[in-house]
Amino acid sequence: MTGTVKVYKVSPEGKEQILHMVTEGESIGAVPVFAGKSFPANAQAISKSHLLFFPRTQFINLITNNPSLTMNILAVLSMRLREFTIQIENLSLKEVPGRLAAYLLYQLEEQGAENFITLSISKSQLANILGTGPESLSRTLGNMKARKLIEVNGSNIRLVDRVGLEELAEYGKNLK
């Protein structure tokens, strides 16, 4: 209902990969409802959060009797599947600069902004989402600033060269 929850996996070596962030009004844990199995990832509140829990049986009754709610849940699950597909593509086929460019452009679209975004997560959490370390993220941000693709002021990022970022996101090439 309120707050932000990160959904993540941890490797046996202790490396964390954030799968997605759940914010106010979004759902978490739909997979166990439909599959009848345990949640396939970990979840942790990263800000003060208030969550609403529905027992599986009552939730199944609710969606059985409310087709529009079922369609909304399917839309959310479809959107998450699309996001995971993009995330897998980015992590396996692109280097950190391409991943970061794609993330910044995605946030621009999500925030409905023209050329300015505000990060709602820490740079450490952003590094985890991108599958890299904080040092590598800092270097990449520095390289992007030096190439005049972005300007950074704390958690505020202005996209200076959107075309350049789109090319970087599309081709995922390393900054030279």
Side-chain angles (χ1 to χ4, degrees):
M1 296 176 65
T2 62
T4 303
V5 174
K6 71 176 177 179
V7 177
Y8 66 99
K9 296 283 280 185
V10 179
S11 74
E13 297 80 29
K15 183 180 180 205
E16 180 179 287
Q17 175 65 56
I18 296 178
L19 303 175
H20 62 274
M21 305 296 270
V22 179
T23 58
E24 185 174 313
E26 295 181 323
S27 64
I28 184 171
V31 171
V33 170
F34 294 106
K37 298 179 180 178
S38 63
F39 192 64
N42 302 303
Q44 178 183 18
I46 62 168
S47 68
K48 186 172 181 177
S49 301
H50 184 105
L51 307 177
L52 184 60
F53 173 77
F54 287 94
R56 183 174 188 262
T57 308
Q58 284 90 340
F59 191 73
I60 297 257
N61 288 337
L62 181 66
I63 61 175
T64 300
N65 297 317
N66 192 338
S68 64
L69 176 61
T70 305
M71 292 304 291
N72 287 338
I73 292 170
L74 286 174
V76 168
L77 291 174
S78 297
M79 179 190 69
R80 289 237 174 95
L81 181 58
R82 180 179 178 274
E83 290 172 356
F84 283 140
T85 302
I86 291 168
Q87 186 175 28
I88 290 168
E89 175 187 357
N90 287 339
L91 290 172
S92 61
L93 302 177
K94 294 180 183 174
E95 304 217 9
V96 175
R99 289 182 233 160
L100 177 56
Y103 180 84
L104 295 175
L105 291 166
Y106 175 78
Q107 286 302 310
L108 192 69
E109 183 180 314
E110 284 293 302
Q111 295 180 21
E114 193 167 315
N115 66 351
F116 182 82
I117 64 167
T118 301
L119 294 177
S120 60
I121 58 175
S122 71
K123 288 184 181 167
S124 176
Q125 291 164 336
L126 176 56
N128 286 342
I129 288 172
L130 298 176
T132 191
E135 301 83 11
S136 179
L137 175 63
S138 291
R139 277 191 306 275
T140 303
L141 285 167
N143 288 338
M144 286 179 156
K145 286 192 293 188
R147 290 189 56 199
K148 300 196 183 326
L149 294 171
I150 62 172
E151 292 175 355
V152 180
N153 184 8
S155 63
N156 299 316
I157 300 176
R158 187 168 84 83
L159 282 58
V160 177
D161 181 359
R162 187 170 178 161
V163 172
L165 284 169
E166 288 170 347
E167 288 175 359
L168 184 57
E170 176 71 24
Y171 301 110
K173 293 182 181 173
N174 201 356
L175 293 173
K176 300 293 181 201

